[in-house]
Amino acid sequence: MKNKSFKIAPSILAADLLNLEKEVIQAQKFGAYRISVDVMDGNFVPDITFGPNLVSQLKKILDIDIEVHLMVNNPESKINSFNQAGADVLTFHYESVNDSIEKTITEIKNLNCRVGLAINPDTEVDEIQKYLPDLDEVTVMTVVPGKGGQKLIQSCLLKVEKLVEIRTKLNLNYLIQIDGGVKKENIQSVIKSGADIAVAGTSVFNNESVEYNMKSLLNSL
Ligand code: DX5
């Protein structure tokens, strides 16, 4: 099934960080919808990655949007700094909020920033259903967050189908993004589930050129 409106959002977690400018410019040039920046705090997930400064540097060289994926505890404490750095979308995890999901959603929207809520593989759609009317995006993790290069968990795509059904039934307009393990070999199953966007790390940034990998993914749509 060809779906040319389906979007690829490369994740820089897998990029050659010593040549990051070249890598993201290539991704943009060869059709990336936006760049996904995986922020990890060493608590919500074991690794530590990027801060607001990197986002502001990337913002200077990119025309496409930047989505900041907050894999952090207490994300409400991070939203201002990443918004000021230029994040176009702030995605936080349902499993990571201390205070209130609704409050965090409101705070992000009050910054005139788009808001996404991410759910881990073992979190069901029912747990976030009440937030859906207020969200710009939902990210369905198709791997356990914290590492690139994992295998896509096919059963998570059932959650995408459920989110599509709810969106249609309630006439909502959130975008559905999946994140983790996307390859040209499985991208058709992702499209079939009804997702709008796929975050792709190691299938874009690896020992092949970004041009080759982007063309390979986009030609598989
Ligand atoms: C995992 C990150 C993903 C990851 C995707 O915690 O959220 O964005 O970088 O990498 P691949 O595409 O290699 O699974």
Side-chain angles (χ1 to χ4, degrees), residues 171-196:
N171 193 26
L172 300 177
N173 55 13
Y174 50 82
L175 290 174
I176 303 169
Q177 175 172 265
I178 70 110
D179 185 347
V182 174
K183 311 280 177 222
K184 63 180 181 214
E185 293 78 12
N186 61 27
I187 203 158
Q188 277 301 321
S189 66
V190 171
I191 292 172
K192 192 165 170 284
S193 73
D196 302 297

Side-chain angles (χ1 to χ4, degrees), residues 11 13 38 40 69 71 141 145-149 179-181 199-202:
S11 152
L13 187 65
D38 289 319
M40 301 181 186
H69 177 190
M71 285 168 276
M141 293 303 297
K147 283 256 181 272
D179 185 347
V199 174
T202 49

Side-chain angles (χ1 to χ4, degrees), residues 14 36 44 76 108 112 144 147 161 163 173 181 202 215 221:
S36 180
F44 182 70
E76 51 272 32
I108 292 171
N112 290 318
V144 173
K147 283 256 181 272
E161 292 174 18
L163 285 163
N173 55 13
T202 49
K215 284 179 176 173
L221 299 186

Side-chain angles (χ1 to χ4, degrees), residues 151-168:
K151 191 174 178 330
L152 184 141
I153 304 169
Q154 282 286 340
S155 60
C156 291
L157 297 181
L158 296 172
K159 291 195 259 185
V160 176
E161 292 174 18
K162 182 155 186 181
L163 285 163
V164 171
E165 193 187 312
I166 296 169
R167 182 172 64 185
T168 307

